[in-house]
Coordinates of all heavy atoms in Angstrom, one line a residue:
G1 N -8.5 1.6 -8.5 CA -7.4 0.8 -9.0 C -6.7 0.1 -7.8 O -7.3 -0.4 -6.9
A2 N -5.3 0.1 -7.9 CA -4.5 -0.7 -7.0 C -4.6 -0.2 -5.5 O -4.4 -0.7 -4.6 CB -3.0 -0.8 -7.4
G3 N -5.2 1.1 -5.4 CA -5.4 1.7 -4.1 C -6.4 1.1 -3.2 O -6.4 1.3 -2.0
T4 N -7.2 0.2 -3.8 CA -8.2 -0.5 -3.0 C -7.8 -1.9 -2.6 O -8.5 -2.6 -2.1 CB -9.6 -0.5 -3.8 OG1 -9.4 -1.3 -5.0 CG2 -10.1 0.9 -4.0
Q5 N -6.6 -2.4 -3.1 CA -6.1 -3.7 -2.8 C -5.4 -3.7 -1.4 O -4.6 -2.9 -1.1 CB -5.0 -4.1 -3.8 CG -5.7 -4.3 -5.2 CD -4.6 -4.5 -6.2 OE1 -3.4 -4.2 -6.2 NE2 -5.1 -5.3 -7.3
T6 N -5.8 -4.8 -0.7 CA -5.1 -5.0 0.6 C -5.3 -6.4 0.9 O -5.5 -7.4 0.0 CB -5.9 -4.1 1.7 OG1 -5.0 -4.1 2.9 CG2 -7.3 -4.6 2.0
V7 N -5.1 -6.8 2.3 CA -5.1 -8.3 2.7 C -6.0 -8.3 4.0 O -5.9 -7.4 4.9 CB -3.6 -8.8 3.1 CG1 -3.7 -10.2 3.5 CG2 -2.7 -8.6 1.8
L8 N -6.9 -9.2 3.9 CA -7.8 -9.4 5.2 C -7.3 -10.6 5.8 O -6.9 -11.6 5.3 CB -9.1 -9.7 4.7 CG -10.2 -10.1 5.8 CD1 -11.4 -9.2 5.8 CD2 -10.5 -11.5 5.8
W9 N -7.2 -10.6 7.1 CA -6.9 -11.7 8.0 C -8.1 -12.0 9.0 O -8.5 -11.0 9.5 CB -5.6 -11.5 8.8 CG -5.4 -12.6 9.9 CD1 -4.8 -13.7 9.8 CD2 -5.7 -12.4 11.3 NE1 -4.8 -14.4 10.9 CE2 -5.4 -13.6 11.9 CE3 -6.4 -11.5 12.1 CZ2 -5.6 -13.9 13.3 CZ3 -6.6 -11.7 13.4 CH2 -6.2 -12.9 14.0
A10 N -8.5 -13.2 9.1 CA -9.5 -13.5 10.1 C -9.2 -14.8 10.8 O -8.5 -15.7 10.2 CB -10.9 -13.6 9.4
R11 N -9.5 -14.9 12.1 CA -9.5 -16.1 12.9 C -10.8 -16.4 13.4 O -11.4 -15.5 14.1 CB -8.4 -16.0 14.0 CG -8.3 -17.3 14.9 CD -7.4 -17.3 15.9 NE -6.0 -17.1 15.6 CZ -5.1 -16.2 16.0 NH1 -5.5 -15.5 16.9 NH2 -3.8 -16.3 15.5
F12 N -11.2 -17.6 13.2 CA -12.6 -18.0 13.7 C -12.4 -18.7 14.9 O -11.3 -19.4 15.3 CB -13.2 -18.9 12.7 CG -13.4 -18.2 11.4 CD1 -12.4 -18.1 10.3 CD2 -14.5 -17.5 11.0 CE1 -12.5 -17.5 9.2 CE2 -14.7 -16.7 10.0 CZ -13.8 -16.7 8.9
P13 N -13.5 -18.8 15.8 CA -13.3 -19.4 17.1 C -12.9 -20.9 17.1 O -12.3 -21.4 18.0 CB -14.8 -19.3 17.7 CG -15.1 -18.0 17.1 CD -14.7 -18.1 15.7
S14 N -13.0 -21.6 15.9 CA -12.7 -22.9 15.8 C -11.1 -23.0 15.6 O -10.5 -24.3 15.7 CB -13.2 -23.5 14.5 OG -12.8 -22.8 13.3
G15 N -10.5 -21.9 15.4 CA -8.9 -21.9 15.1 C -8.8 -21.7 13.8 O -7.5 -21.5 13.4
D16 N -9.6 -21.9 12.8 CA -9.5 -21.7 11.4 C -8.9 -20.3 11.1 O -9.5 -19.4 11.8 CB -10.8 -22.0 10.6 CG -11.2 -23.4 10.6 OD1 -10.5 -24.3 11.4 OD2 -12.2 -23.8 10.0
E17 N -8.1 -20.1 10.2 CA -7.6 -18.8 9.8 C -7.8 -18.6 8.3 O -7.6 -19.5 7.6 CB -6.2 -18.6 10.2 CG -5.9 -18.3 11.6 CD -4.5 -18.0 12.0 OE1 -3.6 -18.9 11.8 OE2 -4.3 -16.8 12.4
L18 N -8.2 -17.3 7.9 CA -8.2 -16.8 6.6 C -7.3 -15.7 6.4 O -7.3 -14.7 7.1 CB -9.7 -16.5 6.2 CG -10.0 -15.9 4.8 CD1 -9.7 -16.9 3.8 CD2 -11.4 -15.3 4.8
F19 N -6.5 -15.9 5.3 CA -5.5 -14.9 4.9 C -5.9 -14.5 3.5 O -5.7 -15.5 2.6 CB -4.0 -15.2 5.1 CG -3.1 -14.2 4.9 CD1 -2.8 -13.3 5.8 CD2 -2.4 -14.1 3.7 CE1 -1.8 -12.3 5.5 CE2 -1.4 -13.2 3.4 CZ -1.1 -12.2 4.4
M20 N -6.5 -13.5 3.1 CA -7.1 -13.3 1.8 C -6.6 -12.1 1.1 O -6.9 -10.9 1.7 CB -8.7 -13.3 1.9 CG -9.4 -13.1 0.5 SD -11.1 -13.4 0.8 CE -11.6 -11.6 1.3
P21 N -5.9 -12.1 0.0 CA -5.7 -10.8 -0.8 C -6.9 -10.4 -1.4 O -7.8 -11.2 -1.8 CB -4.7 -11.2 -1.9 CG -4.7 -12.8 -1.8 CD -5.3 -13.2 -0.6
C22 N -7.4 -9.1 -1.3 CA -8.7 -8.6 -1.6 C -8.7 -7.3 -2.1 O -7.7 -6.5 -2.0 CB -9.6 -8.7 -0.4 SG -9.2 -7.7 1.0
V23 N -9.8 -6.9 -2.8 CA -10.2 -5.6 -3.1 C -11.3 -5.1 -2.2 O -12.3 -5.8 -1.9 CB -10.6 -5.6 -4.6 CG1 -11.2 -4.1 -5.0 CG2 -9.5 -5.9 -5.5
V24 N -11.1 -4.0 -1.6 CA -12.2 -3.4 -0.7 C -13.1 -2.5 -1.5 O -12.8 -1.6 -2.2 CB -11.5 -2.6 0.4 CG1 -12.6 -2.1 1.3 CG2 -10.6 -3.5 1.3
N25 N -14.5 -2.8 -1.4 CA -15.5 -2.1 -2.0 C -16.3 -1.4 -0.9 O -17.1 -2.1 -0.2 CB -16.3 -2.9 -2.8 CG -17.5 -2.2 -3.6 OD1 -17.4 -1.0 -4.0 ND2 -18.6 -2.8 -3.8
V26 N -16.1 -0.1 -0.7 CA -16.8 0.6 0.4 C -18.1 1.0 -0.1 O -18.3 1.6 -1.2 CB -16.0 1.8 0.9 CG1 -16.8 2.6 1.9 CG2 -14.7 1.4 1.3
S27 N -19.3 0.6 0.5 CA -20.6 0.9 0.0 C -21.2 2.0 0.9 O -22.3 2.4 0.4 CB -21.5 -0.4 -0.1 OG -21.4 -1.0 1.2
G28 N -20.7 2.3 2.0 CA -21.4 3.3 2.8 C -20.3 3.8 3.9 O -19.7 3.1 4.5
A29 N -20.1 5.1 3.9 CA -19.3 5.6 5.0 C -19.7 7.0 5.4 O -19.7 8.0 4.6 CB -17.9 5.8 4.4
G30 N -20.3 7.1 6.6 CA -20.6 8.3 7.2 C -22.1 8.8 7.1 O -22.5 9.7 7.7
G31 N -22.9 7.9 6.5 CA -24.4 8.3 6.4 C -25.2 7.7 7.3 O -24.8 6.9 8.2
G32 N -26.5 7.9 7.2 CA -27.5 7.3 8.1 C -28.6 8.3 8.4 O -28.6 9.3 7.8
G33 N -29.6 7.9 9.1 CA -30.6 8.7 9.6 C -30.3 9.8 10.6 O -29.1 9.7 11.2
A34 N -31.0 10.9 10.7 CA -30.7 11.9 11.6 C -30.5 11.6 13.1 O -29.6 12.2 13.7 CB -31.8 13.0 11.5
A35 N -31.0 10.5 13.5 CA -30.8 10.1 14.9 C -29.8 8.9 15.0 O -29.6 8.4 16.1 CB -32.1 9.7 15.6
D36 N -29.2 8.6 13.8 CA -28.4 7.4 13.8 C -26.9 7.8 14.0 O -26.4 8.9 13.7 CB -28.4 6.6 12.5 CG -29.8 6.0 12.2 OD1 -30.5 5.9 13.2 OD2 -30.1 5.7 11.0
V37 N -26.1 6.8 14.4 CA -24.7 6.9 14.4 C -24.2 6.7 13.0 O -24.8 5.7 12.3 CB -23.9 6.0 15.4 CG1 -22.4 6.0 15.2 CG2 -24.4 6.3 16.8

């Protein structure tokens, strides 16, 4: 629900800026292969 809502800010090397209300969809956290980080 509302717990996944936040705001993203980004500045690109051109000087362009993005300020975006967003929903965060986490698709992977903590997994990987045995020898991976």
